[in-house]
Amino acid sequence: MPNFHRKLERSAIGFVLAIVGVSAIGGFVEIAPLFTIHETVEQAPDMRVYTPLEVAGRNIYIREGCYACHSQMIRTLRDEVERYGPFSLAVESQYDHPMLWGSKRTGPDLARVGGKYSDAWQVAHLINPRDVVPQSVMPRYAWLKRNGLKTDDLGLHLAAQRRVGVPYTDDMIANAGADAYGQANPDSPYASGVTARYGEATNVRAFDGSAGRLTEMDALVAYLQVLGRLTDAAQKTAAAQE
Amino acid sequence: MGTEHRDPVTGRMTTGHEWNGIEELNTPVPRFVLFFLAVTTLFAIIYWIFMPAWPLFSTYTKGILGFDQREVVTRQVQEAAAARAGWMDKIANKSFAEIAGDEALMRHVRETGPTLFADNCAVCHGVKGTGGPGFPNLTAGAWLWGGDPETIAQTIRAGINSTDGGTRVSQMLAFGRDGILTSDQVNSVAAYVRSLSGQPLNASEQARLPAGKEVFKANCVSCHGENGKGIRDVGAPDLTDPHWIYGGDAQSVYTTIYGGRQGHMPHWQGRLSPADIKLLTLYVGTLGQDGSLGKDGSLGKDASLGKDASLGQDASLAEDASLGKNGTGGGGKP
Amino acid sequence: MVSGLTVSERRLALVIAGLIAVCGLAMAIVGRNDLIGAHGFIVLAFSLGVIALVATRYLDPEPPEDRLSQYYDDPTKAGIVLAMIWAVIGMFFGVWVAALLAWPDLTFDAAWASFGRLRPVHTSGVIFGFGGNALIATSLHVLQRTSRARLPDQFSPWFVLIGYNLFCVLAASGYFMGVTQSKEYAEPEWYADLWLVIVWVVYFLIYIRTLQRRKEPHIYVANWYYMAFILVVAILHIVNNLAVPVSLGHAKSYSLFSGVQDAMTQWWYGHNAVAFFLTAGFLGMMYYYLPKRAGRPIFSYRLSIISFWGITFMYMWAGSHHLHYTALPQWVQTLGMTFSIVLLVPSWASAGNALATLNGAWHKVRDDATLRFMMVAAVFYGLSTFEGSFMAIRAVNSLSHYTDWTIGHVHAGALGWVAMITFGSLYALVPWMWKQERIYSPALVEVHFWLALIGTIIYVFAMWNSGIIQGLMWRTYNDSGTLAYSFIDSLVAMRPYYIARTVGGLFFFAGAVVASYNIWMTIRMSRRAEAAGRDTVDVPASAALVPGE
Ligand code: HEM
Ligand code: HEM
Ligand SMILES: [Ca+2]
Ligand SMILES: [Ca+2]
Ligand SMILES: [Cu+2]
């Protein structure tokens, strides 16, 4: 071996090629089959896509770095299932570009937080967590309620997501801005289009507590309220195995 | 460039190369390094044989144990449920009175309740159940819908103004914003409302009392009752006791009457099991009462209070409920 | 520094900086309705600054011909200064971030100061700002010395160093504004990612061109590691950052991967960012400065071979240990776990090789804080890799994952290994670079050593405690068979440890400030000596360089 290596050490190009070759194997063997082994991602025909408002909310979640403290991945461990609910399935983040599984739980897991609390609570909590949970160390996000939501380019966001594989229709892309407004303004004429395009299960409410102006708070709360509710697959798996 | 020579400290030969003064010894790889490499590799190979390990284009090696993390956790959760079944089933099947009378079962309630409550309810109602602005105190006995266990359980199951089909529905109208009352009238009735619970009023509030009383009679009694003691059928709170959801100071009361209120309590069926909901009901019952619950087979003093509707006493009950806050009871962990 | 460039190099610098300025302007215009516009202005201002710097010295006399007979160390010197600046910035934010978890209202209700935005400023600041600059600076130094060849030209190292720092500025300023891809350690958005690819290719070319022209027949071990660092980081960076931008006028992009494939790609990246950025690169550093400072030969050449190829091969399989028990198929978790365990052997082999190299020099370790930094670094390297392999075991990870234990492990590696080996190497390198007999104050090096060691120990112990308590509280059952503690219970239990961690961090941060002062004073010593026309101590190595390269 030392002799072979002595030769290798004398060739810069040879060494470079050796490093690339040796290091490429592991990633290839672990990543490529995730695309070819079909059982990797479960089938869930009821899986729906995020609405434009939820997409905007998700982007705010990313922007604020919520993932630094919150996981969205309930592991296959008894205590996690008993505390947070059925373990997360791969299909649930099928349309998450990128995924937000997280690696640290300074705060609780959020994979099933959708519907767990009221909109009003979410708003109060985001404005100042310590108003509602005195023990909390979560930052305040009061500016979300002050900032208006930018909707004019949401169509471009959906189109970009379609390019990476999320099945948005032309109709969804064309109406993205209006749908975002309608979802947070149930009494407006835009509301009906949201359920028509995204399904009856879609939450259509004044998420931040006041209709009219669309705020970043509307978007983030809409996103939080849909976590774990894009498909019933996980609930079904849990029930079927009971 | 160097030459091979013996290093005086270790007695080893160098390799004969030198880079800006750095040389290397030609020390052979210590045996134990190779040994550990062999041991860890062997461990890996054995592990691969037993466990799912290697990908094969459209499937993978399953390992001879046929191990699957999802099946394992499902089984563990089932086994744990079976281990709890001894008392959980009793909670699920017995009546509240029976459970409350069974000290052994109540021990499980007091042990399980705090975590279940803190993980699901505390963000709104507080770790000790004492509530906060916008979220009612569950230890005060000042119930919106009634304090008997079945009523509480129903509230937890279906929620209030929730998205559940069977939800309780309640709403306090936006008298000011919707133009039902003028701002002046709102101020007057607010003063009157504050007088009901015996709060000190300033001179201008005193002056408004007669007008406020009229407004109250005309607009509020349908929900809050003749003397403001609330009507539990519509979830309208008692305005004569010292407990407030949204605050009893002049500003808060004005805001409530002007803008209306519609508290939202989520529903828990579907998320929590029926037994868990019952357990929480019992636990909520223990919150204000430092564990005296159940002695007489009822849900404690409050439930009996509810029956004779002697609400005045209810308020005094709240005083000893504050014991719970001080940690002398309240079902919290020691 | 500009005066060290030839006129044609100065011209090239102006042209390239001008092109980048144009790119910045284009970004500012196309992205005027988006945060990318703000980044356009930053790029523009940055390149105008570079242009101004070059232009004011444009007419300086050309450097003498004999420069080619000496190593080209100006970029290294600048890289050392930049590394120290980033160290202070990154660790300052580390302390702030730590304090936020004990006193969450230290944000002044400002968006930019909230935990989620400051945390990546800290991680990128220390890893890329501090670590990256230190790696570039030392690698260029080591490369020339161990190849006995001058850098191939004088422009490209500046392009790499300054371009890399532009990337760091874009990264950090982006987080403050909320520009992030959310992929840990790869947070910068698509345009910054693309820019880094260009910078990195040039970096690689410098390396390979210099190696090609080396005067030594063999490539030294330090360069194996630096090469692996450059090559593998390139592969990782390109694959993990594949994304489709919303438009050319948008900072936001959507990752090509989603869900489980994205998770695996991200942690293949994330783990190997640790392996090849925070490990391989710094091993390269250690392989030069430690034997140099100790004046001892490397303990075993054969062990070097085993550990190098073991690390290069096996690390790449280990990323899935970040995803145990998740929705990632279990077979991948198995591979991640088993390879992580085998990986301990080459890791300890390199730590052992370093420590055994000190045989015959332990008296120096006792007296010389600089060498002690390196020794302690090797110990922490061994410790954190052991801990890592241990945490990679599924059963252990079921407890440690998501908790502060991971944070403790990270900082055992980051403070104990990465930062200590860097400080040790820089203390050795600075006097050579500025041609001084010794650092300004060896006593302050001693002070720094103890500040760093105490800080690390407080930090790591606090996090081990909090992490294990957290993990245990989450999974403890009471006699009834139900969960004994709520999440809020665990949160309350963390507070004393978060305070302790902040204190430990303050120690470590204070050490970095002391180091910056010491290095700065050494530079001033050198300036004063030059001004006084006194002879400076020459680098002992440069005599060996063959002129004209
Ligand atoms: C002054 C010293 C430092 C302090 C006070 C400090 C503090 C922190 C804090 C509070 C966090 C966030 C932990 C959490 O989310 O719970 C963190 C994360 C991190 N720090 Fe530091 N840090 C310091 C130095 C360093 C150095 C020198 C490095 C690297 C060379 C480093 C690398 C990291 C990394 C990689 C993470 C992310 C860990 C993860 O996501 O698991 N830190 N640090
Ligand atoms: C044999 C070597 C090592 C192995 C097997 C290893 C293994 C691990 C494991 C199992 C985790 C926890 C993953 C999780 O539960 O989320 C982890 C996290 C981490 N390790 Fe290591 N480690 C090693 C060496 C190092 C070294 C030398 C450093 C240097 C700084 C380091 C830095 C990190 C960082 C930054 C993380 C946090 C990643 C995140 O953001 O979640 N590791 N490592
Ligand atoms: Ca992390
Ligand atoms: Ca990126
Ligand atoms: Cu790792």
Side-chain angles (χ1 to χ4, degrees), chain B residues 47-161:
Chain B
Y47 198 88
W48 297 336
I49 294 172
F50 284 97
M51 291 289 176
W54 284 91
L56 312 161
F57 195 76
S58 64
T59 180
Y60 55 89
T61 61
K62 307 259 150 84
I64 56 181
L65 289 185
F67 195 90
D68 177 293
Q69 59 176 15
R70 293 180 172 179
E71 283 163 19
V72 172
V73 70
T74 307
R75 203 176 54 240
Q76 284 172 346
V77 170
Q78 280 164 353
E79 281 167 9
R84 285 192 302 257
W87 59 272
M88 267 287 192
D89 286 354
K90 287 194 196 135
I91 292 202
N93 299 324
K94 287 190 171 184
S95 76
F96 282 110
E98 281 170 328
I99 303 170
D102 184 337
E103 187 44 38
L105 283 182
M106 285 311 290
R107 220 194 58 240
H108 291 296
V109 169
R110 278 191 293 270
E111 206 165 58
T112 300
T115 305
L116 203 55
F117 189 83
D119 273 341
N120 294 287
C121 323
V123 298
C124 295
H125 296 289
V127 175
K128 296 249 158 78
T130 47
F135 304 103
N137 185 339
L138 303 179
T139 68
W143 301 105
L144 292 163
W145 298 89
D148 67 291
E150 197 30 64
T151 307
I152 295 179
Q154 179 56 24
T155 305
I156 301 174
R157 258 194 301 272
I160 304 169
N161 299 317

Side-chain angles (χ1 to χ4, degrees), chain B residues 172-258:
Chain B
M172 161 81 186
L173 303 175
F175 286 94
R177 197 178 55 232
D178 291 350
I180 306 168
L181 299 177
T182 64
S183 173
D184 195 49
Q185 284 173 309
V186 174
N187 272 320
S188 299
V189 77
Y192 176 71
V193 164
R194 279 163 41 76
S195 78
L196 290 176
S197 49
Q199 299 197 55
L201 305 180
N202 63 26
S204 83
E205 280 180 308
Q206 291 285 0
R208 285 178 180 281
L209 283 181
K213 186 168 184 174
E214 287 313 306
V215 178
F216 193 85
K217 275 211 176 110
N219 294 283
C220 317
V221 292
S222 58
C223 294
H224 292 282
E226 214 47 67
N227 40 17
K229 287 187 182 271
I231 299 180
R232 289 182 169 181
D233 290 341
V234 296
D238 181 352
L239 303 175
T240 66
D241 65 21
H243 304 296
W244 297 92
I245 303 175
Y246 301 100
D249 58 297
Q251 180 59 49
S252 303
V253 173
Y254 180 90
T255 311
T256 298
I257 302 168
Y258 182 87

Side-chain angles (χ1 to χ4, degrees), chain C residues 200-446:
Chain C
W200 218 249
V201 168
V202 177
Y203 188 19
F204 170 71
L205 289 176
I206 295 178
Y207 232 87
I208 195 83
R209 281 157 74 210
T210 311
L211 282 180
Q212 293 291 29
R213 294 156 61 262
R214 72 185 182 281
K215 286 283 155 333
E216 299 289 352
H218 291 265
I219 302 173
Y220 179 55
V221 191
N223 290 323
W224 309 351
Y225 279 109
Y226 280 124
M227 274 314 298
F229 149 63
I230 296 171
L231 285 167
V232 180
V233 166
I235 299 173
L236 297 168
H237 173 76
I238 291 171
V239 175
N240 188 42
N241 283 303
L242 291 173
V244 172
V246 171
S247 82
L248 289 182
H250 278 81
K252 176 83 194 160
S253 66
Y254 289 97
S255 166
L256 197 59
F257 308 107
S258 72
V260 63
Q261 291 92 358
D262 183 52
M264 186 58 231
T265 310
Q266 157 60 27
W267 287 110
W268 166 77
Y269 168 92
H271 176 73
N272 290 298
V274 166
F276 289 87
F277 210 107
L278 295 179
T279 301
F282 292 90
L283 281 171
M285 206 184 265
M286 181 180 81
Y287 259 102
Y288 184 82
Y289 296 97
L290 184 134
K292 207 66 193 154
R293 185 81 181 186
R296 294 286 307 147
I298 296 291
F299 167 68
S300 167
Y301 161 68
R302 291 154 191 263
L303 207 50
S304 302
I305 298 178
I306 293 234
S307 37
F308 175 77
W309 290 107
I311 285 174
T312 306
F313 177 66
M314 281 184 281
Y315 253 112
M316 299 298 273
W317 295 78
S320 46
H321 64 217
H322 293 258
L323 299 167
H324 280 327
Y325 296 98
T326 66
L328 180 77
Q330 200 181 340
W331 64 264
V332 204
Q333 303 174 24
T334 299
L335 292 180
M337 163 176 152
T338 46
F339 274 96
S340 301
I341 291 170
V342 187
L343 179 58
L344 180 61
V345 179
S347 300
W348 269 22
S350 40
N353 210 4
L355 291 174
T357 297
L358 293 172
N359 278 339
W362 287 103
H363 59 288
K364 291 192 190 167
V365 174
R366 194 188 56 212
D367 299 336
D368 178 9
T370 300
L371 191 57
R372 218 180 309 128
F373 261 115
M374 301 190 214
M375 187 276 288
V376 170
V379 171
F380 270 102
Y381 175 62
L383 191 119
S384 57
T385 49
F386 173 76
E387 184 184 27
S389 296
F390 185 60
M391 288 166 70
I393 299 170
R394 264 166 65 89
V396 179
N397 198 260
S398 72
L399 179 88
S400 72
H401 187 59
Y402 290 140
T403 71
D404 286 321
W405 187 352
T406 304
I407 308 299
H409 161 69
V410 169
H411 289 84
L415 305 179
W417 158 239
V418 172
M420 297 255 200
I421 192 68
T422 305
F423 289 132
S425 302
L426 293 190
Y427 280 132
L429 178 57
V430 162
W432 295 338
M433 286 292 94
W434 277 276
K435 301 192 169 43
Q436 298 300 305
E437 244 167 285
R438 57 165 175 78
I439 196 92
Y440 166 70
S441 165
L444 284 181
V445 178
E446 192 71 37

Side-chain angles (χ1 to χ4, degrees), chain A residues 1-2 5-6 8-13 15-16 18-20 22-23 25-27 29-31 33-35 37 40-41 55 59 62-65 67-69 71 73 75-80 82-84 88-90 93-108 130 133 135-143 146 150 153 156-157 160-161 163-164, chain C residues 33 101 104-105 109-111 114-117 119 178 180-184 208 211-212 214 217-219 224 227-228 231-232 244 246 250 252 254-264 266-268 301-302 305 308-309 312-313 316-317 320 323-327 329 331-332 335-336 397-398 401-404 407 470 473-475 477 481 483 485-488 491-492:
Chain A
M1 177 193 69
H5 206 270
R6 288 235 160 87
L8 186 63
E9 270 167 47
R10 298 174 73 111
S11 155
I13 297 288
F15 215 92
V16 165
I19 289 174
V20 172
V22 166
S23 64
I25 303 168
V29 173
E30 292 186 351
I31 297 173
L34 295 178
F35 293 92
I37 299 177
T40 300
V41 181
V55 165
N59 289 343
I62 290 174
R63 180 187 82 191
E64 300 301 343
Y67 59 86
C69 290
S71 57
M73 172 48 63
R75 295 183 295 165
T76 50
L77 293 167
R78 175 186 160 201
D79 58 303
E80 300 208 359
E82 292 187 348
R83 193 185 302 277
Y84 298 113
S88 299
L89 300 181
S93 47
Q94 183 183 21
Y95 298 138
D96 282 13
H97 294 264
M99 56 85 208
L100 294 171
W101 294 6
S103 64
K104 180 78 214 304
R105 268 187 199 148
T106 305
R130 278 156 297 288
V133 184
Q135 303 86 350
S136 182
V137 297
M138 174 162 148
R140 307 163 181 238
Y141 293 99
W143 60 88
R146 299 194 289 265
K150 194 166 173 237
D153 58 357
L156 289 173
H157 283 261
Q161 292 211 33
R163 244 168 278 144
V164 293
Chain C
N33 293 322
L101 291 186
D105 282 324
D109 196 25
S114 76
F115 183 92
R117 295 201 191 181
R119 191 184 193 272
T180 170
Q181 277 178 321
S182 84
K183 292 189 151 223
E184 273 186 274
I208 195 83
L211 282 180
Q212 293 291 29
R214 72 185 182 281
H218 291 265
I219 302 173
W224 309 351
M227 274 314 298
L231 285 167
V232 180
V244 172
V246 171
H250 278 81
K252 176 83 194 160
Y254 289 97
S255 166
L256 197 59
F257 308 107
S258 72
V260 63
Q261 291 92 358
D262 183 52
M264 186 58 231
Q266 157 60 27
W267 287 110
W268 166 77
Y301 161 68
R302 291 154 191 263
I305 298 178
F308 175 77
W309 290 107
T312 306
F313 177 66
M316 299 298 273
W317 295 78
S320 46
L323 299 167
H324 280 327
Y325 296 98
T326 66
W331 64 264
V332 204
L335 292 180
N397 198 260
S398 72
H401 187 59
Y402 290 140
T403 71
D404 286 321
I407 308 299
Q470 211 172 24
M473 284 179 92
W474 291 347
R475 58 155 62 170
Y477 282 87
L483 291 165
Y485 300 100
S486 66
F487 189 89
I488 296 179
L491 189 61
V492 172

